[in-house]
Amino acid sequence: MISVKLPNQSSVMTVMTKAAVKASRGLLRDFTELENLQVSVKSNRTFVTAADLHADRILRKELSFARPKYSMLTEESQEIQGEDPSYKWIVDPLDGTVNYMHGFPHWAVSIALKKDSEIIAAVTYDPVKNEMFWAEKGCGAYMNDRKIRVSRKKEISDLLISFGASCAGSSKALVQSIRRTGSTTLDMAYLAAGRIDILYGTSEPNEWDVAAGLLLIKEAGGVLADKEGHPTSDYKKTMIMTNVDLLPLASKLLSQ
């Protein structure tokens, strides 16, 4: 049974965490019965499972019921235009589908709430480990009931680096420090929690993959920068995610 101990939350965060947990029940059940998993290929040549689609339906139902006027963008459905265009849910029902299909326990449900052009609330839930990463603008970032911060590491020999499509940090000196996990939203949550020290993004990210993670990192004291190392709030330009002390080094490694 999935259960997460959380401190007192705002009403919107309660909606988001409950929706993530509810959608995760079916995902976790199917994860233990992979031999019966139904898989198809989308038009962009990425995979989608029946579990993705079922979780997507649950999330759309739960979020729309709680906030019926909000717009919604999900990976598996057409965008819904709500009566109140200033608020939009951004949802990835299963980030790490290939991991999921192979029984690799590193995948998550991701929900973000955008007001106008800014993410104001975020949830990334890993049901396998029962870890709920969540944040609200101006209120800090949390993992379950514990406040989290980005790492304070500064030395290159101490780093753990994760990357998406880029080849950053591929020098021989760092070969044992590099990870590529297959779940962007969990990588971003891990950076916010100090488990990863530098994270490199992809050149063409999908908003549903990164929206929740961007707020988690900001609220955990991290920095977001473009490929030149300049701070940015544009998810399309975000290539470097780390702590403020490591930003110059992270930028240098990327340029190499």
Side-chain angles (χ1 to χ4, degrees), residues 54-72:
H54 180 63
D56 182 74
R57 287 192 293 270
I58 291 174
L59 290 166
R60 284 188 284 116
K61 180 179 179 181
E62 293 295 312
L63 298 173
S64 296
F65 178 80
R67 298 292 188 274
K69 295 184 179 181
Y70 289 7
S71 298
M72 188 179 304

Side-chain angles (χ1 to χ4, degrees), residues 1-26:
M1 181 68 178
I2 298 171
S3 64
V4 183
K5 181 181 179 182
L6 301 173
N8 293 331
Q9 297 178 309
S10 69
S11 59
V12 72
M13 187 55 62
T14 298
V15 166
M16 295 169 72
T17 54
K18 286 185 175 180
V21 169
K22 190 167 185 178
S24 295
R25 293 193 178 108

Side-chain angles (χ1 to χ4, degrees), residues 126-146:
D126 177 351
V128 175
K129 304 176 190 68
N130 202 34
E131 293 182 335
M132 181 78 74
F133 300 89
W134 57 280
E136 288 189 83
K137 181 185 175 184
C139 298
Y142 295 81
M143 193 277 286
N144 292 349
D145 60 349
R146 178 174 63 84

Side-chain angles (χ1 to χ4, degrees), residues 8-144:
N8 293 331
Q9 297 178 309
S10 69
S11 59
V12 72
M13 187 55 62
T14 298
V15 166
M16 295 169 72
T17 54
K18 286 185 175 180
V21 169
K22 190 167 185 178
S24 295
R25 293 193 178 108
L27 290 170
L28 201 57
R29 181 190 62 244
D30 290 348
F31 188 64
T32 62
E33 301 175 356
L34 289 176
E35 67 276 8
N36 300 319
L37 194 64
Q38 299 177 37
V39 180
S40 58
V41 181
K42 295 188 286 188
S43 59
N44 62 358
R45 306 303 299 167
T46 58
F47 294 101
V48 61
T49 68
D52 286 79
L53 299 175
H54 180 63
D56 182 74
R57 287 192 293 270
I58 291 174
L59 290 166
R60 284 188 284 116
K61 180 179 179 181
E62 293 295 312
L63 298 173
S64 296
F65 178 80
R67 298 292 188 274
K69 295 184 179 181
Y70 289 7
S71 298
M72 188 179 304
L73 173 66
T74 85
E75 181 179 10
E76 308 303 344
S77 307
Q78 291 185 339
E79 185 170 353
I80 300 170
Q81 297 296 332
E83 295 179 31
D84 185 352
S86 61
Y87 286 93
K88 180 190 288 186
W89 299 113
I90 303 172
V91 178
D92 192 343
L94 175 54
D95 184 70
T97 301
V98 174
N99 287 349
Y100 185 91
M101 290 163 51
H102 285 80
F104 186 70
H106 193 78
W107 47 271
V109 177
S110 177
I111 308 170
L113 178 60
K114 178 188 279 190
K115 182 179 181 183
D116 297 321
S117 60
E118 186 176 23
I119 304 298
I120 60 170
V123 163
T124 292
Y125 182 48
D126 177 351
V128 175
K129 304 176 190 68
N130 202 34
E131 293 182 335
M132 181 78 74
F133 300 89
W134 57 280
E136 288 189 83
K137 181 185 175 184
C139 298
Y142 295 81
M143 193 277 286
N144 292 349

Side-chain angles (χ1 to χ4, degrees), residues 199-210:
L199 172 61
Y200 293 105
T202 62
S203 57
E204 296 181 1
N206 296 307
E207 190 170 16
W208 51 75
D209 288 329
V210 300

